[in-house]
Amino acid sequence: MKNVKVNIKLNGRKFEREVEPRTLLLDFVREFADLTATHMGCDTSNCGACTVLLDGKPVKSCTVLAVQADDREVRTLEGLGEEPLMKRLKEEFIEKHGLQCGFCTSGMLISSYSLLRKKSDPNEKEIREAISGNICRCTGYHGIVEAVKSVKGETAREKLPESPELVRR
Amino acid sequence: MGSTPGKFDYLKVSSIRDAVKALSEVENSKVLAGGQSLIPLLKTRIMTIDLLVDIGGIAALDSFREDNGFIEIGASYKVGSLEENRSVSKYIPALHEAAAGIADPLVRNMGTVGGNLSHADPGNDLPPVMTALDAEFVISGNGNQRVEKSDKFFQGAFSTGLSHNEVLTAVRIPRNGGNATSAFMKQAKSSGDFSLASVATVLHLDDDMNCLSSRTVLGSIFPRPYLMKSVDSHLQGKKINTGLLKEINNIVKNGISVESDFFASAEYKRYIASYLVTEALALAYKRAEAGLT
């Protein structure tokens, strides 16, 4: 079985690696790029703790092969740290008790972030729908929804920042 | 690390021709579209393969085209794109409703129309909708292309009329002329779960709101989409009202033969199927009355 070369623009920086075709994007990000904000939760495409942005859209990296992201752009939570909208979201998650143990939080943040980029003023139904692929066992979702609500109306920066220093080897 | 699939070779193709060639050469091979059904099967090793043929790089398959006679949706068109497509939500509300109810937004961003149909899971929602819409399935194989309707395409649970070296490349939905309306409803154990039962209905009405013809399809209850001819013939020439819906409810409840299984009792299946049929018909009719379609 032949290895294949995968070239991903990971958090704004080229990251190339030869991998077995069966490598999950989740493992590519965590094990090879050492970016551990992306969590492995259920490993069955249910919980969304492994959510990353693939070409700007949130997907479950436990159910995407690294080869599917070849020549494409992947953003993990580390690569969104400097984004003003993400900063605001994080503040509100803390303020409104949008997290407790924190395990689902990276996925919740990315799903909420991508909703707010698409629609700056979502209603509660839209917020709940947007995070319906992410499971939280601590908050009962109320705090998360409240946090996203408090950020609504604010606009996101058009272009995502380059943050090469966040990709460690 | 996440559960890892068994080892396989990987080939990213740039044309359907190359895909068909690769599939023909390696017996134990499989097409990768979005991977949202296939990757879980590989990860659990319910399925092991020798070659994965990735059609994700064929840009032409990620398409949506409106023509005079039909709407053509490419096999790699994402379920999420279908959900957000304004033309779909305006003219084919049933298709929008089905797309918007599949799994969750994250899965819909990867999952494709062609994958949902080719996987032919009885719990999938696009098969009954495409059946109700009388869609054509465009299939490419060794040097030829063929077009099939739903009754030939869906053959059973996880089983289609696709040969091993054939690829579904598109579905064509005939454009509904005049007063056509549609609706889709489903029942699942929880949000984002596979359907226990689903109903898609497409109604063609005359100017006085009488039902000219219809296609009402039950999903998930049987291994393949089930066109309810008894319901459609009962609707013909009539206006939909509470009385008629009661009759339809009885036709469905007494007309389907189901067995209890792990997921639901036979009694519940009959109840939920008849309930969904009447609700979907009422919704579609209401849409026509409001002039929404």
Side-chain angles (χ1 to χ4, degrees):
Chain A
M1 305 285 158
K2 261 191 3 219
N3 285 358
V4 286
K5 202 175 269 179
V6 173
N7 191 334
I8 297 175
K9 195 175 175 199
L10 186 53
N11 294 339
R13 179 172 149 172
K14 272 178 85 167
F15 193 90
E16 195 178 88
R17 176 117 187 183
E18 210 177 278
V19 299
E20 285 189 74
R22 60 179 176 161
T23 308
L24 304 174
L25 180 59
L26 168 73
D27 291 332
F28 188 93
V29 164
R30 283 182 60 88
E31 309 291 333
F32 299 157
D34 206 15
L35 294 166
T36 52
T38 308
H39 293 166
M40 187 185 84
C42 69
D43 195 22
T44 55
S45 203
N46 283 291
C47 80
C50 63
T51 305
V52 300
L53 294 180
L54 176 61
D55 284 345
K57 286 191 174 170
V59 300
K60 289 174 171 171
S61 65
C62 79
T63 310
V64 176
L65 296 172
V67 287
Q68 288 178 285
D70 184 35
D71 262 342
R72 298 171 76 178
E73 193 179 342
V74 172
R75 282 268 161 186
T76 66
L77 187 62
E78 289 98 334
L80 295 164
E82 297 306 307
E83 229 285 3
L85 176 67
M86 186 56 95
K87 278 187 171 168
R88 282 286 299 121
L89 259 175
K90 285 180 180 173
E91 284 164 15
E92 289 303 327
F93 264 61
I94 295 165
E95 188 66 31
K96 300 290 190 310
H97 190 76
L99 73 156
Q100 188 174 308
C101 84
F103 201 85
C104 73
T105 310
S106 0
M108 285 292 179
L109 283 169
I110 292 181
S111 283
S112 313
Y113 171 84
S114 87
L115 167 71
L116 288 167
R117 274 181 75 90
K118 205 160 66 177
K119 194 163 190 202
S120 62
D121 194 21
N123 60 35
E124 174 153 350
K125 190 166 168 265
E126 288 164 331
I127 296 170
R128 288 188 179 272
E129 174 60 29
I131 60 167
S132 66
N134 301 80
I135 294 173
C136 172
R137 299 282 83 150
C138 302
T139 64
Y141 305 98
H142 187 74
I144 297 169
V145 173
E146 288 304 305
V148 180
K149 267 190 197 163
S150 338
V151 182
K152 75 177 186 185
E154 299 169 29
T155 47
R157 200 198 278 176
E158 264 313 294
K159 205 173 169 306
L160 290 175
E162 301 283 310
S163 49
E165 75 280 3
L166 290 163
V167 180
R168 300 191 301 271
R169 296 268 177 182
Chain B
M1 280 178 68
S3 322
T4 307
K7 289 184 178 180
F8 52 77
D9 275 322
Y10 171 83
L11 181 69
K12 190 169 190 172
V13 293
S14 50
S15 73
I16 284 294
R17 230 173 108 174
D18 290 350
V20 170
K21 187 165 167 271
L23 291 167
S24 307
E25 280 166 5
V26 180
E27 197 186 334
N28 188 17
S29 53
K30 198 79 189 157
V31 174
L32 173 69
Q36 301 305 285
S37 302
L38 182 62
I39 294 172
L41 288 175
L42 294 173
K43 284 177 69 174
T44 48
R45 305 206 186 189
I46 288 171
M47 185 184 271
T48 51
I49 53 167
D50 295 327
L51 175 68
L52 189 63
V53 180
D54 187 355
I55 60 168
I58 309 175
L61 290 186
D62 190 0
S63 62
F64 183 91
R65 196 160 63 86
E66 291 177 83
D67 212 308
N68 282 335
F70 52 83
I71 290 171
E72 187 174 284
I73 304 173
S76 298
Y77 198 63
K78 303 286 178 295
V79 174
S81 310
L82 194 60
E83 177 192 5
E84 285 174 8
N85 189 306
R86 294 266 170 90
S87 202
V88 168
S89 47
K90 192 169 174 200
Y91 298 111
I92 323 173
L95 186 54
H96 168 78
E97 280 160 343
I102 290 171
D104 58 59
L106 310 170
V107 172
R108 297 200 286 272
N109 281 337
M110 281 303 289
T112 66
V113 172
N116 190 286
L117 294 167
S118 302
H119 187 54
D121 188 325
N124 279 0
D125 294 333
L126 294 184
V129 186
M130 290 301 175
T131 306
L133 290 166
D134 206 16
E136 292 178 336
F137 296 76
V138 185
I139 299 162
S140 278
N142 231 338
N144 63 327
Q145 193 182 69
R146 64 189 175 106
V147 173
E148 299 290 356
K149 286 289 185 71
S150 169
D151 56 340
K152 286 267 167 56
F153 188 81
F154 297 110
Q155 306 218 328
F158 305 100
S159 165
T160 66
L162 289 170
S163 301
H164 171 68
N165 62 354
E166 286 183 319
V167 182
L168 174 70
T169 57
V171 270
R172 282 189 200 135
I173 300 166
R175 263 197 183 285
N176 296 321
N179 302 338
T181 176
S182 67
F184 173 86
M185 287 187 140
K186 77 176 202 179
Q187 175 72 2
K189 274 200 291 187
S190 63
S191 158
D193 207 344
F194 291 104
S195 295
L196 283 173
S198 64
V199 170
T201 185
V202 178
L203 302 173
H204 293 263
L205 307 168
D206 68 14
D207 290 342
D208 297 323
M209 295 291 285
N210 295 306
C211 193
L212 279 174
S213 67
S214 61
R215 284 176 72 85
T216 306
V217 178
L218 192 55
S220 304
I221 291 281
F222 300 112
R224 40 187 258 182
Y226 178 64
L227 181 65
M228 288 183 286
K229 288 182 182 150
S230 53
V231 169
D232 294 327
S233 63
H234 195 76
L235 285 169
Q236 210 167 6
K238 294 174 190 151
K239 283 190 172 59
I240 292 181
N241 55 37
T242 319
L244 186 70
L245 287 175
K246 259 189 192 150
E247 292 165 23
I248 297 280
N249 191 293
N250 281 325
I251 289 173
V252 180
K253 209 177 265 174
N254 303 320
I256 56 170
S257 143
V258 290
E259 282 171 22
S260 298
D261 61 20
F262 175 79
F263 300 104
S265 67
E267 190 192 354
Y268 180 72
K269 285 183 186 177
R270 270 196 297 274
Y271 162 76
I272 197 67
S274 55
Y275 171 79
L276 289 175
V277 170
T278 48
E279 289 294 305
L281 285 171
L283 176 61
Y285 201 69
K286 210 169 93 184
R287 283 191 173 129
E289 284 179 322
L292 289 176
T293 53

